[in-house]
């Protein structure tokens, strides 16, 4: 699958690593071009590209920036009409211990409003970068879950396929409106990791009783 990762920080780097390992065609763009180039150089066949027009041939665009930078980063790519865009952001307060919006909207819904032509999918926002980089196997027979929410059935299917190709279990999280639940879930995971001292090798997952 042809993928474009926006961002070369911890999450962007983890995505490039895992997408490349899963055999996908990967391009990466970032505000810091040198950082994107350095990341791409670690993986044969991965390209660092300038933002304008970078999404033209991409089947899936992965937004790996902070929420505050999300809309500007996406708009810098140019026309995203019909493009599948994976929003992994969480609208966190500066201390990471709270959310700046919720209940009546979500980061994903606000991004969708700003880019009405794109097919926004909420996914991967409940994973720490360390878990993503380390792979889906959590040990003890557990596989990390990726919750996938979107108003587009075809976009949801595409992102589900992408997540499964990297070894993750997937949970159909319904419509994009349910990002209002997924973002607080991520916030709670962040609290457990940092506030409660459990570390960043944790992830919420869904299990089915046999």
């Amino acid at each position: 699958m042809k993928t474009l990762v926006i961002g070369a920080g911890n999450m962007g780097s983890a995505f490039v690593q895992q997408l490349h390992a899963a055999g996908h065609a990967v391009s990466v763009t970032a505000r810091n071009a040198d950082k994107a180039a350095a990341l791409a150089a670690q993986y044969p066949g991965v390209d660092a590209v300038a933002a304008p027009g970078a999404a033209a041939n991409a089947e899936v665009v992965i937004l790996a920036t902070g929420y505050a930078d999300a809309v500007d980063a996406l708009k810098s790519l140019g026309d995203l009409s019909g493009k599948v865009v994976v929003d992994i952001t969480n609208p966190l307060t500066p201390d990471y211990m709270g959310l700046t919006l919720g209940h009546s909207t979500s980061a994903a819904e606000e991004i969708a409003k700003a880019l009405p032509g794109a097919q926004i999918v909420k996914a991967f926002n409940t994973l720490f970068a360390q878990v993503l980089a380390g792979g889906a196997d959590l040990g003890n027979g557990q596989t990390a879950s990726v919750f996938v929410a979107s108003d587009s059935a075809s976009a949801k299917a595409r992102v589900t396929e992408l997540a499964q190709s990297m070894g993750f279990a997937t949970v159909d999280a319904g419509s994009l409106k349910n990002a209002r639940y997924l973002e607080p879930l991520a916030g709670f995971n962040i609290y457990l990791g940092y506030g409660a001292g459990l570390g960043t090798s944790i992830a919420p997952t869904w299990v089915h009783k046999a």
Side-chain angles (χ1 to χ4, degrees):
M1 199 177 297
K2 295 178 181 178
T3 60
L4 171 68
V5 177
I6 311 173
N10 290 339
M11 286 297 289
S13 297
F15 268 109
V16 169
Q17 174 190 338
Q18 292 300 327
L19 290 167
H20 178 264
H24 299 287
V26 185
S27 297
V28 59
T29 188
R31 184 167 47 194
N32 186 325
D34 291 340
K35 193 171 182 180
L39 173 58
Q42 298 178 45
Y43 304 99
V46 173
D47 296 317
V49 295
N57 296 316
E59 296 172 84
V60 176
V61 176
I62 297 173
L63 175 65
T65 71
Y67 171 61
D69 300 319
V71 171
D72 286 345
L74 288 169
K75 287 185 174 180
S76 74
L77 302 177
D79 185 17
L80 292 175
S81 297
K83 291 292 182 182
V84 176
V85 176
V86 181
D87 166 35
I88 74 164
T89 70
N90 294 300
L92 299 169
T93 56
D95 64 358
Y96 299 103
M97 290 294 106
L99 301 179
T100 60
L101 52 83
H103 298 294
S104 60
T105 190
S106 63
E109 290 169 280
E110 294 304 303
I111 291 169
K113 289 176 188 175
L115 295 135
Q119 299 181 60
I120 305 298
V121 180
K122 192 76 185 185
F124 294 97
N125 70 301
T126 59
L127 298 180
F128 282 118
Q130 291 83 351
V131 171
L132 181 60
D137 185 2
L138 297 175
N140 298 318
Q142 292 183 309
T143 300
S145 295
V146 172
F147 304 93
V148 187
S150 180
D151 292 334
S152 167
S154 60
K156 187 191 296 184
R158 179 63 60 86
V159 176
T160 296
E161 178 187 352
L162 190 71
Q164 291 174 349
S165 76
M166 294 187 282
F168 291 95
T170 55
V171 178
D172 185 337
S175 70
L176 196 65
K177 182 179 179 179
N178 286 338
R180 300 177 193 181
Y181 303 127
L182 296 179
E183 291 167 12
L185 177 60
F188 183 55
N189 191 50
I190 291 167
Y191 163 74
L192 291 175
Y194 291 105
L198 297 185
T200 55
S201 296
I202 61 172
T205 190
W206 227 244
V207 295
H208 294 269
K209 185 176 179 180

